Amino acid sequence: LSFFIDKKSLSVGDDGVIRYTVVVQSPAGARNVNYEGIRCDNFNWRLYASINEDQTGWDRAVERDFARIETGELNSYHSALYQDYFCANKLPTGTAQQILSNIQMKRTAVSNYH
C-alpha cells in the first residue's frame, strides 16, 4: 500500500492534535481517504471521517474516539507518522509547515538529531 498526506489538510491544533487527510492506495488503484488526528501527548489517534462512496463528501458515521496507536498492526502508518514526523517528547515536532517540510524532505525525527 502507498500512503499520502494531503498537505492542505495538515494542521496542528491548539489542543495539541495534529489533524490531516490520508489517502491509502492499493497497487490495484483502490483508495481509502480518511480525515484523522494524532495526539502527541498520549500516543493516540482518532478517525473523524472517511470519504463517502460517491467521493463527494465526508461520511462521519465512521467516526471513532481516540484509541491507542498499535505499532505491531499491519500497515501501521499511524505509528510511523507519530514517531517519524509528527511528535517528539510528547509534543508536535513543529508547525504544520515544518512537519510538511520534514515529510517532503524525508527528514525523520531521528535524522534531525544527527
Side-chain angles (χ1 to χ4, degrees), residues 4-11 19-23 33 100:
F4 308 93
I5 300 292
D6 173 43
K7 64 183 175 182
K8 292 181 181 178
S9 71
L10 193 125
S11 67
R19 292 174 179 84
Y20 57 93
T21 300
V22 62
V23 178
V33 181
L100 286 171

Side-chain angles (χ1 to χ4, degrees), residues 75-96:
N75 300 316
S76 182
Y77 65 91
H78 300 111
S79 179
L81 287 173
Y82 181 100
Q83 295 176 0
D84 292 343
Y85 296 107
F86 286 3
C87 307
N89 299 317
K90 297 188 176 190
L91 295 170
T93 56
T95 66

Side-chain angles (χ1 to χ4, degrees), residues 31-85:
R31 294 183 334 155
N32 287 327
V33 181
N34 295 330
Y35 183 59
E36 302 176 344
I38 288 182
R39 288 186 62 159
C40 292
D41 65 346
N42 62 7
F43 201 61
N44 284 348
W45 79 283
R46 177 179 184 176
L47 175 64
Y48 292 102
S50 290
I51 200 81
N52 64 19
E53 283 187 36
D54 299 332
Q55 297 189 6
T56 58
W58 292 108
D59 177 4
R60 293 196 56 145
V62 298
E63 184 175 6
R64 294 185 210 138
D65 203 3
F66 281 99
R68 182 144 181 87
I69 295 171
E70 298 297 331
T71 57
E73 288 185 2
L74 182 63
N75 300 316
S76 182
Y77 65 91
H78 300 111
S79 179
L81 287 173
Y82 181 100
Q83 295 176 0
D84 292 343
Y85 296 107

